[in-house]
Amino acid sequence: MKSKSLSRIEAAQSFFGSPHAQRMVEQAVDHALCSLTQNKQSFSAHGELMAVPWRPNVLRATTDPTLLLHRNSTLQGRVHQHGLFFLYSWLRDRGFFRELEQQAFFGTRNGAPLAAWNAVVRYVTDATTQIVVGELMATRADVRDRIGSQAAADTASITLRKFADLHRQSVNTPVVKVRDNRIMRGYAPLGLVHVRQSGPHDAFAIRPGLVSILFHERVFIPTVMKWAPTLAGAAPHSAA
């Protein structure tokens, strides 16, 4: 018998599988890319939109490897965080999550359903989310690179145990607890992962969701690749 948790996860995934949801996410991705390119706004750690660029326009010239590695890591973190905030704020403002909110997919407080934005702030500002999405996308890319098959890449996945390990959960922590606390209330209803039961009991296969795939391929990679050459600060005019 299918568990209540898995049924809820599948319901969230069905929501993202609709043509309407796919069109909305694609438009939100375009908005995120445009907003990052303009570099006029950013978000606070509390999800508040600010009239402050998300990255500096000019960097001091350096050849120090530690600084260059740090700048690269910082760039990726900022693209991930501010890019997803731009994406999800666009969806929020158009009532995209209303159906999932009404069904309390994001949890409750004092019996009242939480707004999707609560989950967005929690997961977008959590550095582990970037690690998880990166691992899922790398797993997908590795299969495509080794086998040369997009179809195989589309089904590439990690186990729930691996997912729990990425969150630094103890080996004694039941994986279903991680599934219910993390995937069911955040990753799945935000479109970050797709989950299917791959065997009996607690065997689950986790792969990137619609939002992770579109954001990573159309926003994250292009933006990081665009700005990475400016990190040495040798040509500050190129970062204007």
Side-chain angles (χ1 to χ4, degrees):
M1 181 178 178
K2 186 180 299 183
S3 69
K4 180 179 179 181
S5 297
L6 185 57
S7 295
R8 286 175 63 81
I9 291 172
E10 290 180 345
Q13 292 172 174
S14 177
F15 174 84
F16 275 94
S18 71
H20 170 70
Q22 293 182 29
R23 285 194 299 270
M24 291 285 284
V25 172
E26 288 178 350
Q27 292 179 58
V29 163
D30 291 341
H31 169 75
L33 179 59
C34 179
S35 298
L36 289 175
T37 301
Q38 292 176 347
N39 193 33
K40 294 180 179 180
Q41 296 176 308
S42 60
F43 287 83
S44 72
H46 302 290
E48 301 162 332
L49 183 63
M50 306 180 297
V52 178
W54 64 270
R55 69 173 302 280
N57 281 321
V58 178
L59 292 171
R60 178 177 57 82
T62 183
T63 58
D64 186 280
T66 298
L67 282 176
L68 293 175
L69 286 172
H70 176 69
R71 288 178 180 181
N72 187 276
S73 175
T74 300
L75 172 65
Q76 293 188 39
R78 287 179 176 174
V79 173
H80 171 85
Q81 181 169 317
H82 297 290
L84 282 179
F85 265 137
F86 281 123
L87 184 155
Y88 283 124
S89 66
W90 190 92
L91 292 174
R92 175 200 60 186
D93 294 345
R94 285 154 183 79
F96 179 79
F97 292 108
R98 190 169 297 124
E99 180 181 335
L100 295 178
E101 288 174 331
Q102 292 172 346
Q103 298 181 57
F105 272 84
F106 301 101
T108 59
R109 181 179 294 137
N110 299 325
L114 289 174
W117 196 248
N118 293 89
V120 168
V121 173
R122 176 188 177 188
Y123 286 90
V124 170
T125 58
D126 185 346
T128 306
T129 304
Q130 183 181 350
I131 294 173
V132 171
V133 172
E135 181 71 23
L136 292 172
M137 293 304 300
T139 299
R140 173 185 172 93
D142 180 63
V143 170
R144 182 174 57 233
D145 186 57
R146 287 187 293 106
I147 302 177
S149 168
Q150 184 60 51
D154 289 341
T155 60
S157 63
I158 65 173
T159 65
L160 185 56
R161 181 70 263 171
K162 173 68 174 179
F163 179 87
D165 291 343
L166 291 173
H167 285 84
R168 298 184 179 181
Q169 296 295 313
S170 165
V171 293
N172 298 318
T173 301
V175 289
V176 292
K177 181 178 180 180
V178 178
R179 177 198 66 192
D180 293 349
N181 290 343
R182 292 280 186 169
I183 295 179
M184 189 176 78
R185 294 186 178 181
Y187 281 93
L190 288 177
L192 293 171
V193 303
H194 186 282
V195 181
R196 68 175 179 83
Q197 193 159 11
S198 58
H201 307 301
D202 303 333
F204 296 93
I206 304 170
R207 63 179 190 265
L210 176 67
V211 171
S212 290
I213 294 172
L214 293 181
F215 175 77
H216 191 87
E217 294 181 347
R218 301 187 188 183
V219 179
F220 185 80
I221 291 179
T223 305
V224 170
M225 295 293 286
K226 174 183 178 179
W227 294 111
T230 72
L231 297 181
H237 62 277
S238 65

